[in-house]
Amino acid sequence: TFNFVDELSISGNGVTLRGAGRDKTILDFSGQTVGANGVKITGDDVTITALTVQETPGDGIRGDEVKNITYDDVAVKWAAQGSLENGAYGFYPVGCDGVTIRRSLVVGARDAGIYVGQSKNVLVEDSEAYANVAGVEFENTTDATIRRCHAHDNTAGILIFNLPGLPVKDGKRTLAYDNIVENNNIPNFGEPGTVVAQVPPGIGFMILAADSNEIRDNQISGNISTGVVIVHYSSDLFEAYGVAEFDIYAQSNYIHDNTFSGNG
């Protein structure tokens, strides 16, 4: 266990931060007083592997506008259940080209556990998210694949969102298959005023204002509101957008060959 009081920054290219194993190497940020994230990555071709980041007051592992960032066999955890004191995001790559998240875990984020925003060419596989508000969220992201993941016991399982007011105006073509999305019914403990705080408990998949996504061959069960919901961006639910180039409608989405049981 390594105890940090400030943010760990990786700005070089081609860096690998490698632990001895997810249960063996712990980066503990419970005493952090400096920095907005646990680990912040601003270099290209960076890999984080075989370790756990825990108790960050801000986001767990953030990547800003980088190419080819990889999270492999990594966990981000907060021990407190449903606490606004937890960090907002576990994995937080934003504005990236080439994101890989595999064999990884996030527990306890007050916004999204596994988040990918305004990015492209994304693969999330063989990973797990629970006890977060959103288990997995793709926001204004294009050409993402999520497969063989387990999103359970969150407020909502997997969100595919387009939101206004961001540099990237749209996201499209997420493919989700062979996932288990179940029992996402915990009370929403998101920070008041955020979009995710408006999501009701009991959602399996949610597509908001995003186009050309495909959801197939998933097991979707026990979500008490609905298994899959597709909705436009409504100012009755969210902040008024006032952005002319933002398309509020979810179009050309293909939902097929899923197994549904025990949903609301």
Side-chain angles (χ1 to χ4, degrees):
T1 298
F2 299 87
N3 297 294
F4 288 83
V5 296
D6 54 8
E7 182 178 83
L8 174 60
S9 177
I10 299 175
S11 58
N13 297 330
V15 174
T16 295
L17 178 61
R18 184 188 309 275
R22 208 162 77 185
D23 298 326
K24 296 180 179 179
T25 299
I26 312 297
L27 310 186
D28 189 313
F29 291 84
S30 57
Q32 182 178 0
T33 57
V34 177
N37 315 275
V39 182
K40 184 175 181 180
I41 299 164
T42 55
D44 295 338
D45 302 298
V46 170
T47 296
I48 309 294
T49 185
L51 54 82
T52 290
V53 169
Q54 67 182 27
E55 304 304 336
T56 60
D59 303 326
I61 306 173
R62 176 169 179 149
D64 267 349
E65 298 183 351
V66 299
K67 293 182 178 179
N68 304 323
I69 183 172
T70 298
Y71 306 77
D72 187 1
D73 191 28
V74 177
V76 175
K77 297 181 179 180
W78 292 270
Q81 297 293 303
S83 174
L84 271 174
E85 298 301 312
N86 295 354
Y89 302 97
F91 303 147
Y92 191 75
V94 61
C96 298
D97 184 356
V99 176
T100 300
I101 299 170
R102 64 165 56 97
R103 300 183 300 167
S104 292
L105 168 69
V106 181
V107 182
R110 74 169 190 267
D111 196 302
I114 298 172
Y115 169 96
V116 183
Q118 303 178 71
S119 297
K120 59 186 178 180
N121 302 317
V122 176
L123 174 62
V124 180
E125 62 182 3
D126 302 309
S127 295
E128 182 180 8
Y130 68 89
N132 311 284
V133 175
V136 181
E137 181 178 346
F138 297 129
E139 185 177 89
N140 298 57
T141 286
T142 293
D143 293 323
T145 295
I146 177 168
R147 62 190 182 193
R148 302 188 303 273
C149 291
H150 191 192
H152 65 97
D153 298 287
N154 307 283
T155 299
I158 297 177
L159 308 181
I160 303 168
F161 277 15
N162 275 347
L163 299 178
L166 298 172
V168 175
K169 300 303 180 189
D170 67 348
K172 49 189 173 290
R173 297 192 299 272
T174 289
L175 170 62
Y177 68 93
D178 290 345
N179 302 289
I180 299 173
V181 182
E182 61 181 351
N183 304 324
N184 292 288
N185 304 315
I186 71 171
N188 191 320
F189 61 99
E191 185 172 353
T194 61
V195 169
V196 78
Q198 306 300 314
V199 176
I203 301 293
F205 280 90
M206 183 175 184
I207 296 175
L208 170 66
D211 298 346
S212 303
N213 305 290
E214 183 176 2
I215 297 174
R216 62 168 173 85
D217 298 302
N218 302 284
Q219 298 179 42
I220 305 168
S221 64
N223 306 288
I224 61 173
S225 289
T226 190
V228 175
V229 58
I230 304 173
V231 65
H232 74 290
Y233 187 97
S234 169
S235 56
D236 292 333
L237 297 174
F238 309 107
E239 292 183 359
Y241 54 94
V243 180
E245 61 268 39
F246 178 68
D247 180 2
I248 67 172
Y249 295 106
Q251 299 168 293
S252 302
N253 292 291
Y254 188 21
I255 317 298
H256 64 100
D257 294 292
N258 301 284
T259 300
F260 293 90
S261 62
N263 300 291

